[in-house]
Amino acid sequence: VPTAIEKWNIELTQYGVDNISIKDVFKVCFKTTTDSSIQWLQFRILHRILPVGYYLRKINIKSLDNCGFCEKNVETIVHIFTNCDKIHTLWTELSLHIYRKTVVNVEFNLSNIIFGELPLTCHNKAINYVILSMKQYLFSSLMLKKLSTFIGFLYHFKVKLNVEKFAAIQSFKLHNFEKEWDVLKNILE
């Protein structure tokens, strides 16, 4: 078992998350998208090497480890993607938006935000892409010291999804793309 997964298992027990399925967790981003920037982000999250305040202070790059969004709590991976008050509302807005547009009820929680919706199937590939895109948007906002907004995410997501669709067309896999996105196809309308 990789050290990072052992640390995740220890940390996440306090949130009531059971042991992680290593086999599936490391496949999610690679089976969900061909976007290397999203894959690299998820790789750093899983290996606990994402440059957030806590990690940067630990390796003596920063002297403070306060969250760049709320400026109150320690900036950890779990905090910036799930626990921060400023970010938690975005996940709630996204869940409501998906329900209003598609009548699909998606509950975002610590486990599916950090690791993805498991087990990975063609039915949850689209939701995993939404989660990965939101994490990319949030981390980019954090690094650029920009305010994260739901409208900003929708714009980011629309651009990223169009690139995914174009890649599917170029590789003659548009039918697969449309099948995977069938349930959430109205998300941007």
Side-chain angles (χ1 to χ4, degrees):
V1 177
T3 305
I5 294 298
E6 286 179 1
K7 288 181 180 179
W8 276 120
N9 281 331
I10 291 167
E11 181 177 352
L12 297 181
T13 54
Q14 67 182 321
Y15 298 105
V17 176
D18 293 333
N19 286 346
I20 307 155
S21 170
I22 302 162
K23 184 176 78 173
D24 294 334
V25 164
F26 285 94
K27 290 180 185 176
V28 170
C29 65
F30 297 102
K31 297 278 186 183
T32 301
T33 182
T34 57
D35 183 335
S36 60
S37 64
I38 290 177
Q39 292 172 345
W40 175 232
L41 174 70
Q42 185 64 8
F43 177 88
R44 292 182 294 167
I45 291 169
L46 293 177
H47 288 277
R48 304 172 67 89
I49 58 170
L50 193 68
V52 293
Y54 172 80
Y55 179 71
L56 294 174
R57 186 167 183 219
K58 185 176 175 182
I59 61 174
N60 295 319
I61 291 179
K62 282 178 76 176
S63 57
L64 298 174
D65 58 8
N66 292 11
C67 173
F69 292 128
C70 70
E71 299 178 353
K72 293 186 247 171
N73 297 41
V74 175
E75 188 179 273
T76 64
I77 293 170
V78 170
H79 179 76
I80 65 165
F81 291 124
T82 63
N83 293 350
C84 182
D85 292 339
K86 305 237 178 194
I87 300 312
H88 186 74
T89 56
L90 290 177
W91 290 108
T92 303
E93 284 182 71
L94 179 57
S95 182
L96 291 170
H97 177 80
I98 291 170
Y99 185 75
R100 281 193 301 265
K101 297 291 183 175
T102 67
V103 195
V104 173
N105 187 23
V106 179
E107 291 184 32
F108 297 107
N109 57 55
L110 179 70
S111 184
N112 69 5
I113 291 171
I114 299 295
F115 304 110
E117 192 67 37
L118 298 169
L120 188 59
T121 65
C122 68
H123 302 293
N124 63 15
K125 193 172 177 180
I127 201 62
N128 277 322
Y129 188 77
V130 171
I131 293 168
L132 289 165
S133 295
M134 175 67 100
K135 289 192 293 189
Q136 184 182 46
Y137 171 72
L138 294 173
F139 189 68
S140 295
S141 297
L142 182 69
M143 294 294 99
L144 296 170
K145 298 182 183 339
K146 285 177 42 183
L147 179 66
S148 296
T149 64
F150 186 66
I151 298 298
F153 166 70
L154 286 179
Y155 176 77
H156 170 83
F157 180 70
K158 184 175 185 176
V159 169
K160 298 302 272 184
L161 190 59
N162 283 335
V163 170
E164 285 289 314
K165 185 175 183 178
F166 182 74
I169 292 168
Q170 292 294 87
S171 62
F172 304 103
K173 295 180 180 175
L174 182 60
H175 177 71
N176 292 350
F177 177 87
E178 289 172 342
K179 181 180 169 190
E180 291 161 356
W181 281 93
D182 186 53
V183 175
L184 296 181
K185 67 183 172 199
N186 297 330
I187 193 171
L188 290 171
E189 290 182 359

